[in-house]
Amino acid sequence: QAQLVESGGGLVQPGGSLRLSCTASGFTLGYYAVGWFRQAPGKEREGVSCVFSTGERTFYADSVQGRFTISRDDADNTVHLDMNSLTPEDTAVYYCAAPIWCLADVQIMAETNWGQGTQVTVSS
């Protein structure tokens, strides 16, 4: 029953912005730390960002620090990833996942559930 669904991906020009959303059904997302990962062709999966269940602590990979912002809307059972100043290097399939470890980086666990992913393409 537990399910995560990403939305908001698409084609955007370099320098543009995009908001990704991760909405849970079948469980309360607000109980868990939530992470965003991305995987580009030919590259390893990268933990992009995560947020504690309380929302009081966040993590950002160096590659996105200062450009991406993660936030929670527990009333909507949703976590967002606001992406700004996008570059072609940000092109990837973006996945949300929960629960995860959100400490010095984003780490999955045996219980982690994944969304299906949403494609982000940054190109002129």
Side-chain angles (χ1 to χ4, degrees), residues 69-123:
T69 303
I70 192 168
S71 62
R72 310 192 70 118
D73 185 348
D74 288 339
D76 288 338
N77 216 21
T78 297
V79 170
H80 301 287
L81 185 68
D82 290 306
M83 306 184 296
N84 301 307
S85 301
L86 287 164
T87 78
E89 294 180 356
D90 297 313
T91 296
V93 179
Y94 285 72
Y95 302 88
C96 67
I100 50 87
W101 298 111
C102 186
L103 297 171
D105 55 10
V106 193
Q107 293 289 332
I108 62 172
M109 57 182 68
E111 301 89 345
T112 299
N113 290 294
W114 295 83
Q116 82 291 341
T118 186
Q119 176 71 49
V120 172
T121 302
V122 184
S123 176

Side-chain angles (χ1 to χ4, degrees), residues 7-98:
S7 62
L11 176 64
V12 64
Q13 293 185 333
S17 299
L18 213 57
R19 166 172 267 203
L20 305 184
S21 298
C22 173
T23 299
S25 60
F27 70 104
T28 301
L29 195 59
Y31 293 165
Y32 303 104
V34 179
W36 284 95
F37 295 83
R38 67 185 181 186
Q39 188 158 30
K43 296 184 178 180
E44 294 183 349
R45 184 179 63 198
E46 177 185 20
V48 174
S49 182
C50 58
V51 59
F52 275 24
S53 61
T54 61
E56 70 187 35
R57 185 174 177 87
T58 58
F59 163 83
Y60 299 96
D62 289 344
S63 57
V64 306
Q65 179 71 245
R67 300 188 297 118
F68 289 14
T69 303
I70 192 168
S71 62
R72 310 192 70 118
D73 185 348
D74 288 339
D76 288 338
N77 216 21
T78 297
V79 170
H80 301 287
L81 185 68
D82 290 306
M83 306 184 296
N84 301 307
S85 301
L86 287 164
T87 78
E89 294 180 356
D90 297 313
T91 296
V93 179
Y94 285 72
Y95 302 88
C96 67

